[in-house]
Amino acid sequence: MNRSFSPVECRAVELDKVAWVPFPEALSAGGIRWKLLNVAPELGSWAAIFECPAGSSFNSHHHIGPGEYYLTKGKMEVRGGSEDGGDTVVAPAYGYEATSAFHGRTYFPVDSEFYMTFLGPLQFTDAPGGQTIALVTWDSAQAAWEASQAG
Amino acid sequence: MNRSFSPVECRAVELDKVAWVPFPEALSAGGIRWKLLNVAPELGSWAAIFECPAGSSFNSHHHIGPGEYYLTKGKMEVRGGSEDGGDTVVAPAYGYEATSAFHGRTYFPVDSEFYMTFLGPLQFTDAPGGQTIALVTWDSAQAAWEASQAG
Amino acid sequence: MNRSFSPVECRAVELDKVAWVPFPEALSAGGIRWKLLNVAPELGSWAAIFECPAGSSFNSHHHIGPGEYYLTKGKMEVRGGSEDGGDTVVAPAYGYEATSAFHGRTYFPVDSEFYMTFLGPLQFTDAPGGQTIALVTWDSAQAAWEASQAG
Amino acid sequence: MNRSFSPVECRAVELDKVAWVPFPEALSAGGIRWKLLNVAPELGSWAAIFECPAGSSFNSHHHIGPGEYYLTKGKMEVRGGSEDGGDTVVAPAYGYEATSAFHGRTYFPVDSEFYMTFLGPLQFTDAPGGQTIALVTWDSAQAAWEASQAG
């Protein structure tokens, strides 16, 4: 080994000190807003909170790496919701979305809010195993966030 | 490769359907209660929520692997709090506790609640780099939880 | 938590009991062959060895998650090689390819062989941040391997 | 998010440029030597190669996080060897040691050498779930390595 490494720094964010910004419309519908809370460049993980108005949704995507959410408000239909083989959860709720999980539809029937940690990227695609429309990695998430702050 | 592997299952938990149980007193003081939400045995990660009355605290520990918390209620002093080189955060707040971080004192001056994900174990020890009092891995967390449910 | 989890099984492979198969030509040139050794579906990691004849190369790709190699034979030019800002390594050599690293050219000037572990997928693309040509995840790697064994 | 993060640096080591040093005798027997190749402080992973003379062994330990080895020379008996429910592997061989795996005995009946990556620490202990004798994390591995280089 040629060099010495130091532990990574801890960090904290008080959420009310950060303003909501629109989440990219290319990847969602219905006015979702977000706050990016952290990125961790060695593993490629990132954390964010999302505010999802009634009727909003995320476009279909694969989780490339596990994701864990904590729904603090509202109701979320994941993987089609419980009527279509997925889960419909009512806040407060926790969920583990496994590596490779395909989210054909993530829909919010009422005003909702959730916090999520992602180990690795989201691959937006039209169908399971389909062509990649967008690969949202820790660094593209950071770039989108910083662009929104620069405005 | 000798065998074929399938994706891991997704899972969800509605938190109001799970009762709070006391967190082990050997590792905390002041009446902390918890709900274990998930374990992931391949990587050794786990997720839980903690209810921490005013005046409660966790015993000193190292994070062996990164941990991320979402403080939904109250106030938390980590790594001594902001008066002693650490962070004092007021809900709602997010924090990233890095691999190797030593938490000499995690104290809750008011009634608080937080959700946390752990990639790897907590090493309870009296001092940075000290002898191991307890190593709380995903499987010992699961065993403690299941013992509490069996009562 | 609704269910109980058991530790993941250990496994081992003696390499001479597994035959080399061609690595997909859509992603490489010059006759590279490989053996897939393991996949780990929770984190999305995988491990393989590659036999690379003199003059062979991998098409350009990003590492989406860290990768570590052990070059047991030959010589490898990564990220352009040392003449172009990257590394040229002579066996035996170890390397850590960081999350987001772009490998515009991985070239083998002499007969070479290496073992590599991947935490997450490879994104084949023509240029840094470019469109995704192929996303090689643990499960698409497994599918390619199994197709080669079925032939 | 309060700050911006850059990708982690790639790095490479040619193994013949690094000298073997004794692996701590408190954790092994029979003259094992090692070279620490890398540490990654965010996730807590590390990589090393080990030279194990005939008759040498590692003291009993748990893997706290998955480990993957590539045995390049010799023969290794893990988890008791195949006569006792574990694996005995002959080089060249690959193995995946799962999170929580207990290695009561890792024994080398002939001169052997292997490369291994560790996601997280090794917990040396006399018995499964026993008291911790030593917790070998990325940073204690680095400290041991640097002490050996300073001599």
Side-chain angles (χ1 to χ4, degrees):
Chain A
M1 205 166 68
N2 305 318
R3 51 174 288 209
S4 180
F5 292 87
S6 297
V8 168
E9 270 183 275
C10 299
R11 49 241 192 207
V13 182
E14 292 191 354
L15 304 188
D16 291 345
K17 295 180 180 168
V18 180
W20 293 107
V21 302
F23 189 72
E25 289 189 15
L27 308 176
S28 64
I32 291 175
R33 301 195 299 171
W34 75 318
K35 299 179 186 183
L36 181 62
L37 304 176
N38 190 52
V39 298
E42 183 189 293
L43 180 55
S45 70
W46 47 295
I49 52 172
F50 301 90
E51 184 201 60
C52 307
S56 65
S57 60
F58 287 100
N59 294 0
S60 59
H61 58 274
H62 276 288
H63 283 263
I64 305 295
E68 295 177 276
Y69 64 80
Y70 182 22
L71 182 75
T72 51
K73 177 184 162 188
K75 191 173 181 175
M76 178 163 62
E77 299 177 0
V78 292
R79 285 168 280 109
S82 54
E83 291 184 7
D84 197 20
D87 287 310
T88 297
V89 289
V90 175
Y94 162 86
Y96 176 87
E97 295 301 315
T99 298
S100 309
F102 181 70
H103 283 202
R105 184 186 180 227
T106 306
Y107 179 72
F108 302 89
V110 300
D111 287 355
S112 304
E113 198 174 306
F114 72 99
Y115 159 77
M116 193 155 184
T117 47
F118 304 87
L119 288 196
L122 295 175
Q123 178 200 23
F124 285 82
T125 180
D126 281 336
Q131 290 295 305
T132 302
I133 295 168
L135 190 68
V136 179
T137 57
W138 73 273
D139 40 356
S140 63
Q142 176 175 264
W145 178 253
E146 295 190 336
S148 75
Q149 302 299 299
Chain B
M1 205 168 69
N2 305 317
R3 48 175 288 208
S4 180
F5 292 86
S6 297
V8 168
E9 270 182 276
C10 299
R11 49 243 191 204
V13 181
E14 293 192 354
L15 304 189
D16 292 345
K17 295 180 180 168
V18 180
W20 293 106
V21 302
F23 189 72
E25 289 189 16
L27 307 176
S28 64
I32 292 175
R33 300 194 300 171
W34 74 318
K35 299 179 186 183
L36 181 63
L37 303 175
N38 190 52
V39 298
E42 182 189 295
L43 181 55
S45 70
W46 47 295
I49 52 172
F50 300 90
E51 183 201 59
C52 307
S56 65
S57 61
F58 287 100
N59 294 1
S60 59
H61 58 273
H62 275 289
H63 283 263
I64 305 295
E68 294 175 276
Y69 63 80
Y70 182 21
L71 183 74
T72 52
K73 176 184 163 189
K75 191 173 181 175
M76 179 163 61
E77 297 177 1
V78 293
R79 285 167 280 111
S82 54
E83 291 183 7
D84 198 20
D87 287 312
T88 297
V89 289
V90 175
Y94 162 86
Y96 176 87
E97 295 301 316
T99 297
S100 310
F102 181 70
H103 283 201
R105 186 185 178 226
T106 307
Y107 178 72
F108 302 89
V110 300
D111 287 355
S112 302
E113 198 174 305
F114 71 100
Y115 158 77
M116 192 157 185
T117 47
F118 303 88
L119 287 196
L122 296 175
Q123 178 199 23
F124 284 82
T125 180
D126 282 335
Q131 291 294 308
T132 303
I133 295 169
L135 190 68
V136 180
T137 57
W138 73 274
D139 38 357
S140 61
Q142 176 175 265
W145 178 253
E146 294 189 337
S148 76
Q149 302 300 299
Chain C
M1 204 167 70
N2 305 318
R3 51 174 290 208
S4 180
F5 292 85
S6 297
V8 167
E9 270 182 277
C10 299
R11 48 240 190 209
V13 181
E14 292 191 355
L15 305 188
D16 291 346
K17 296 180 179 169
V18 180
W20 292 107
V21 303
F23 189 72
E25 287 188 17
L27 308 176
S28 64
I32 292 175
R33 301 195 299 170
W34 75 318
K35 300 180 186 183
L36 181 62
L37 303 176
N38 190 53
V39 298
E42 183 189 293
L43 181 56
S45 71
W46 47 295
I49 52 173
F50 300 91
E51 184 202 60
C52 308
S56 65
S57 61
F58 288 99
N59 294 0
S60 59
H61 57 275
H62 276 289
H63 284 262
I64 305 294
E68 295 176 275
Y69 64 79
Y70 183 20
L71 183 74
T72 51
K73 177 184 163 188
K75 192 173 181 176
M76 178 163 63
E77 298 176 0
V78 291
R79 286 168 279 112
S82 54
E83 290 185 7
D84 198 19
D87 287 310
T88 298
V89 289
V90 175
Y94 162 87
Y96 176 87
E97 294 301 315
T99 297
S100 310
F102 181 71
H103 283 202
R105 184 185 180 226
T106 307
Y107 179 72
F108 301 89
V110 299
D111 288 355
S112 304
E113 198 174 307
F114 72 99
Y115 159 78
M116 194 157 184
T117 48
F118 304 87
L119 288 195
L122 295 175
Q123 179 199 22
F124 284 82
T125 180
D126 281 336
Q131 291 295 307
T132 303
I133 295 168
L135 190 68
V136 179
T137 57
W138 72 274
D139 40 355
S140 61
Q142 175 175 265
W145 178 254
E146 294 189 338
S148 75
Q149 302 300 300
Chain D
M1 206 167 66
N2 304 318
R3 48 175 289 208
S4 180
F5 292 86
S6 298
V8 168
E9 270 182 276
C10 299
R11 48 242 191 204
V13 181
E14 292 191 355
L15 305 189
D16 291 345
K17 295 180 181 169
V18 180
W20 293 107
V21 302
F23 189 72
E25 289 189 15
L27 307 176
S28 63
I32 292 175
R33 299 195 299 171
W34 75 318
K35 299 179 188 184
L36 181 63
L37 303 176
N38 190 52
V39 298
E42 183 188 294
L43 180 55
S45 70
W46 47 294
I49 52 172
F50 301 91
E51 183 202 59
C52 307
S56 65
S57 61
F58 288 100
N59 294 0
S60 59
H61 58 274
H62 276 289
H63 283 263
I64 306 294
E68 294 176 277
Y69 64 80
Y70 183 21
L71 182 75
T72 51
K73 176 185 163 188
K75 190 174 181 176
M76 179 164 62
E77 298 177 1
V78 293
R79 287 169 278 109
S82 55
E83 291 184 7
D84 197 20
D87 287 311
T88 296
V89 290
V90 175
Y94 163 86
Y96 176 87
E97 295 301 314
T99 297
S100 310
F102 181 70
H103 284 202
R105 184 184 180 228
T106 308
Y107 179 72
F108 302 88
V110 300
D111 287 356
S112 303
E113 198 173 307
F114 71 99
Y115 159 78
M116 193 155 185
T117 48
F118 304 87
L119 287 196
L122 296 175
Q123 179 199 22
F124 284 82
T125 180
D126 281 336
Q131 291 294 306
T132 303
I133 294 168
L135 190 68
V136 179
T137 57
W138 72 274
D139 39 358
S140 62
Q142 176 175 264
W145 177 253
E146 295 189 338
S148 75
Q149 302 300 299

